[in-house]
Amino acid sequence: MPKYLVVSTSGNPDSNSRRMGRVAFAHLEKRKVDPAWLDIRELDLPLCDADKCYDMPAAQKLNRAIESADGILIAAPVYNFDVAASAKNMLELTGSSWEEKVVGFLCAAGGNSSYMAVMAYANSLMLDFRTIIIPRFVYATGDAFKGDEIVDKKTVTRIEQASDELIRFTEALRG
């Protein structure tokens, strides 16, 4: 049976992308696929130095989590028209563990202008690691949130659809 992972890549304790990830995680649990949750904010991750960083316990824990999953949803904030640097650092620390995974994205941003921000990251995963990117990702702006809740029901529906697509693609490839 395929294994699923939802990774929150935000360092912000009041993260909207983390909220999106939690909705996806709950939906995957409801679908009874036994997902795992990983919040890199809770890890003491080093910056990738292409040397000693890989031997650090937090980097090894992250690497094991990525390696053991078949389908992964990345919940990432968008800053300055790109996914947050923490998401890029995660990729640099884990490298080939992404090979032939199925990956989807849940992105939160301040405005509508950077809805394509995830594409360079997705291209890197596809070209470097033959990762399959599901052709549905969720992009939400601050208007979708109020406090700790996602108040825009269309956003919740899109998160659930992306989660379902992750299952469908992963089962088709790994089933």
Side-chain angles (χ1 to χ4, degrees), residues 5-171:
L5 176 66
V6 179
V7 183
S8 172
T9 65
S10 179
N12 182 349
D14 192 34
S15 169
N16 286 333
S17 63
R18 183 177 297 107
R19 289 180 180 96
M20 295 170 74
R22 285 288 188 197
V23 168
F25 180 76
H27 185 73
L28 291 170
E29 284 186 313
K30 189 168 75 173
R31 292 283 313 271
K32 300 189 184 321
V33 294
D34 194 26
W37 170 261
L38 183 64
D39 189 340
I40 65 171
R41 184 173 178 266
E42 297 170 358
L43 300 174
D44 187 20
L45 285 176
L47 289 176
C48 184
D49 63 4
D51 187 25
K52 295 180 178 141
C53 61
Y54 307 112
D55 296 327
M56 298 185 80
Q60 290 180 350
K61 179 178 181 176
L62 176 63
N63 196 50
R64 283 190 303 273
I66 300 299
E67 205 166 64
S68 69
D70 298 300
I72 303 168
L73 282 174
I74 300 171
V78 173
Y79 301 126
N80 197 28
F81 301 96
D82 205 347
V83 293
S86 55
K88 178 96 168 53
N89 189 55
M90 174 182 69
L91 180 57
E92 291 170 347
L93 289 170
T94 53
S96 63
S97 293
W98 291 92
E99 286 182 0
E100 300 181 9
K101 305 293 182 189
V102 177
V103 174
F105 296 96
L106 310 170
C107 299
N112 291 318
S113 298
S114 52
Y115 69 94
M116 297 293 287
V118 74
M119 295 312 296
Y121 194 84
N123 282 336
S124 175
L125 284 166
M126 287 187 298
L127 296 172
D128 291 342
F129 306 114
R130 295 171 307 285
T131 301
I132 305 298
I133 305 298
I134 61 172
R136 176 188 301 270
F137 69 91
V138 183
Y139 181 89
T141 63
D143 296 341
F145 305 90
K146 185 173 184 179
D148 287 340
E149 290 187 53
I150 302 175
V151 293
D152 178 20
K153 299 304 175 199
K154 288 181 181 179
T155 298
V156 171
T157 299
R158 289 192 332 263
I159 293 168
E160 291 172 349
Q161 289 171 336
S163 301
D164 290 340
E165 287 291 284
L166 181 76
I167 294 169
R168 186 172 74 87
F169 273 74
T170 304
E171 286 180 350

